[in-house]
């Protein structure tokens, strides 16, 4: 692992916030490899488990792996059987489990908004945790990142999910209310230093101040979109108190947000508030102290009062004013299902030409690997047109040995 050089201003600021013991743990973590973790799709991989690993204690279906495989070459990843997600971020599952009653306060089929959702880790977790027929609006303001989000949500399998490419203020203009809103706010990225060298080069005290201001603007717009009594989750992947505790305190004082506790276990070693004089329940994951990367999360309830009237019921027609990304993989499940070998599955995922067995009927067919649908093809008899989306294809021509991460339970 390459030696990580941290910015001097970051060292000075963070050492003061952490104190000597936490800072020593953090420095030791910077010299170690990041843990690798995945989360199974409960709709597709209910009867599957990891081949070798251990459970993430705060997330249903989350697993640490012994080592990082070449995920790109596992067809089951492309089928949406699991998602590669950093373990600390999976704490969202514990939050949703403990506060499920607030999500369904207004309806047994709540309306959920993930406002800054790319690449899709928390959105796929939301999709797995809320009722199957509930609507999830998964949004990303950046167009390129929104395309990645759309791909991941489609692979996960989300018939009641809409992927949008809009700014938070666009949702405020709709004047509709959601039962649950997640703001995984854009931040200075200190919690990603071990995994992302670019985050280190882009860090500065000025960027921390900019992110803090931007986060408050996003939260203000999002808060207007939340039903009274609804659940609001704020998270970042950074350590400093400006973007974390100070913003939480501001939400409580300026917005009247009621902060909610989440029960945790001592062995999880989650760190609470690090802001002097602020003792409200917040949850910070620090590498080495907890098994994962940096994460900060706080949970709120919007008070029910005359100051926060209930909004109109969300209807799909209300979203027509938004930029909605159309699906790229339609017709999945149609026609005959053609089971592919490992090498054939990679061939299909590279969008290469296919020759199907003679007994396969002509027309639209669905390609599967270990029973999991990958996509569609149009069988012409002598050959088949590969209809896997061009933007999703595996571009690497490397041919690995078979990559297997999960297996069916015996």
């Amino acid at each position: 692992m390459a030696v990580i050089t941290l910015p001097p201003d970051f060292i000075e600021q963070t050492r003061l916030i952490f104190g000597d013991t936490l800072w020593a743990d953090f420095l030791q973590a910077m010299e170690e490899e990041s843990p690798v973790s995945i989360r199974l799709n409960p709709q597709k991989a209910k009867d599957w488990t990891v081949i070798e690993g251990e459970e993430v204690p705060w997330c249903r279906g989350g697993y640490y792996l012994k080592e990082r495989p070449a995920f790109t070459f596992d067809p089951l990843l492309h089928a949406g059987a699991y998602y590669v997600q950093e373990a600390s971020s999976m704490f969202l599952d514990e939050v949703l489990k403990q506060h499920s009653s607030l999500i369904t306060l207004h309806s047994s089929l709540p309306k959920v908004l993930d406002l800054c959702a790319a690449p899709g880790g928390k959105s796929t977790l939301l999709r797995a945790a809320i009722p199957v027929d509930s609507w999830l609006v998964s949004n990303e303001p950046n167009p390129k990142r929104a395309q990645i989000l759309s791909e991941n949500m489609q692979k996960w399998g989300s018939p009641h999910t809409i992927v949008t490419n809009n700014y938070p203020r666009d949702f405020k203009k709709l004047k509709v209310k959601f039962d649950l809103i997640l703001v995984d706010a854009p931040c200075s990225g200190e919690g990603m230093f071990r995994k992302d060298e670019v985050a280190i080069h882009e860090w500065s005290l000025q960027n921390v101040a900019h992110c803090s201001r931007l986060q408050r603007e996003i939260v203000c717009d999002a808060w207007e979109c939340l039903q009274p009594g609804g659940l609001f989750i704020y998270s970042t992947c950074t350590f400093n108190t400006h973007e974390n505790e100070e913003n939480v305190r501001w939400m409580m004082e300026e917005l009247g947000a009621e902060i909610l506790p989440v029960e945790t276990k001592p062995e999880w070693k989650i760190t609470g508030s690090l802001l002097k004089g602020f003792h409200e329940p917040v949850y910070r994951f620090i590498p080495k102290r907890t098994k994962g990367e940096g994460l900060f999360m706080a949970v709120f309830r919007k008070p029910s009062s005359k100051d926060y009237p209930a909004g109109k019921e969300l209807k799909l027609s209300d979203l027509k004013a938004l930029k909605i990304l159309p699906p790229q993989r339609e017709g999945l499940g149609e026609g005959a299902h053609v089971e592919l070998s490992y090498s054939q599955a990679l061939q299909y995922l590279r969008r290469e030409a296919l020759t199907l067995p003679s007994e396969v009927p002509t027309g639209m067919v669905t390609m599967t690997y270990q029973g999991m649908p990958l996509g569609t093809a149009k069988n012409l008899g002598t050959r088949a047109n590969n209809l896997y989306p061009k933007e999703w294809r595996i571009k690497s021509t490397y041919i690995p040995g078979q990559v297997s991460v999960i297996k069916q339970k015996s």
Side-chain angles (χ1 to χ4, degrees):
M1 182 176 177
V3 176
I4 296 175
T5 302
L6 299 171
D9 285 340
F10 170 79
I11 294 174
E12 181 179 356
Q13 174 179 265
T14 311
R15 185 169 188 169
L16 184 62
I17 293 170
F18 279 11
D20 291 341
T21 302
L22 281 179
W23 178 248
D25 287 345
F26 175 76
L27 287 182
Q28 186 175 349
M30 292 300 101
E31 299 176 356
E32 300 172 352
E33 294 290 341
S34 298
V36 182
S37 50
I38 67 168
R39 181 171 39 78
L40 297 181
N41 186 333
Q43 297 301 317
K44 294 184 175 182
K46 180 180 179 181
D47 298 319
W48 293 64
T49 187
V50 297
I51 291 175
E52 189 176 13
E54 63 177 284
E55 293 183 353
V56 175
W58 46 80
C59 180
R60 295 162 289 187
Y63 292 89
Y64 294 104
L65 303 184
K66 294 288 186 181
E67 57 187 16
R68 177 174 290 275
F71 285 115
T72 299
F73 302 103
D74 184 3
L76 293 177
L77 172 66
H78 299 275
Y82 65 91
Y83 190 94
V84 183
Q85 185 179 19
E86 192 278 309
S88 299
S89 295
M90 297 183 196
F91 184 63
L92 175 62
D93 186 64
E94 187 67 29
V95 172
L96 297 172
K97 183 171 65 174
Q98 293 189 29
H99 293 291
S100 59
S101 61
L102 291 183
I103 303 171
T104 55
L105 182 67
H106 294 277
S107 170
S108 60
L109 296 177
K111 309 300 187 297
V112 179
L113 172 62
D114 186 356
L115 199 54
C116 312
K122 293 183 179 68
S123 264
T124 54
L125 194 155
L126 280 167
R127 184 69 272 174
I130 63 177
V132 174
D133 293 332
S134 300
W135 281 100
L136 169 65
V137 179
S138 188
N139 178 72
E140 171 55 45
N142 181 288
K144 289 185 178 179
R145 286 170 57 81
Q147 293 294 339
I148 297 171
L149 172 64
S150 179
E151 175 184 345
N152 286 330
M153 297 311 294
Q154 288 181 68
K155 287 179 176 180
W156 191 255
S158 314
H160 289 85
T161 297
I162 297 173
V163 177
T164 58
N165 173 213
N166 290 86
Y167 289 104
R169 60 178 177 267
D170 297 322
F171 289 90
K172 182 179 177 181
K173 293 176 184 176
L174 294 178
K175 299 188 183 301
V176 297
K177 305 290 185 183
F178 293 86
D179 302 290
L180 164 62
I181 296 179
L182 167 65
V183 174
D184 185 36
C187 67
S188 58
E190 297 164 357
M192 301 300 292
F193 280 3
R194 181 162 60 170
K195 296 175 64 175
D196 186 358
E197 189 174 340
V198 174
I200 298 176
H201 294 311
E202 292 181 347
W203 188 92
S204 68
L205 291 174
Q206 292 79 8
N207 191 37
V208 169
H210 167 74
C211 288
S212 179
R213 291 191 298 270
L214 176 61
Q215 289 153 0
R216 295 187 183 192
E217 292 175 8
I218 293 172
V219 165
C220 276
D221 288 337
W223 193 251
E224 291 292 320
C225 302
L226 184 65
Q227 284 278 20
L231 192 67
F232 191 95
I233 302 171
Y234 175 80
S235 65
T236 73
C237 59
T238 205
F239 298 122
N240 68 79
T241 57
H242 304 298
E243 299 175 69
N244 294 327
E245 284 92 343
E246 290 179 31
N247 276 351
V248 168
R249 184 173 60 188
W250 171 85
M251 291 174 65
M252 297 174 68
E253 294 174 352
E254 298 298 322
L255 302 179
E258 176 190 344
I259 196 164
L260 300 175
V262 180
E263 292 184 14
T264 63
K265 296 182 179 181
E267 58 265 30
W268 297 354
K269 297 182 179 178
I270 298 173
T271 303
S273 174
L274 294 179
L275 178 63
K276 186 176 180 180
F278 186 79
H279 306 293
E280 300 294 345
V282 297
Y283 306 91
R284 182 186 269 96
F285 290 68
I286 299 175
K288 191 63 179 182
R289 180 61 62 96
T290 48
K291 193 173 180 180
E293 300 304 319
L295 174 83
F296 176 91
M297 188 169 286
V299 186
F300 304 91
R301 175 185 174 273
K302 186 174 185 177
S304 299
S305 73
K306 60 182 178 61
D307 296 324
Y308 297 112
K312 64 179 181 178
E313 181 72 13
L314 175 66
K315 299 178 181 178
L316 296 185
S317 58
D318 295 324
L319 303 179
K320 289 183 178 179
L322 301 176
K323 184 178 179 182
I324 298 175
L325 276 62
Q328 295 176 273
R329 184 174 58 168
E330 299 185 89
L332 192 65
E334 289 185 9
H337 284 209
V338 181
E339 179 68 12
L340 304 177
S341 66
Y342 178 74
S343 59
Q344 289 172 329
L346 289 187
Q347 183 183 1
Y348 174 75
L349 294 169
R350 289 190 174 106
R351 214 171 186 272
E352 296 173 357
L354 296 170
T355 300
L356 302 181
S358 58
E359 64 270 17
V360 175
T362 57
M364 293 291 292
V365 294
T366 295
M367 306 288 102
T368 67
Y369 175 71
Q370 296 192 34
M372 299 271 188
L374 295 174
T376 57
K378 187 173 184 179
N379 187 27
L380 304 177
T382 56
R383 61 183 177 84
N385 290 340
N386 190 331
L387 301 181
Y388 195 70
K390 292 180 181 179
E391 297 83 359
W392 301 2
R393 72 188 187 280
I394 297 176
K395 297 178 182 178
S396 172
T397 58
Y398 171 67
I399 302 177
Q402 183 165 340
V403 176
S404 299
V405 177
I406 65 174
K407 63 179 181 180
Q408 288 183 302
K409 294 177 182 177
S410 55

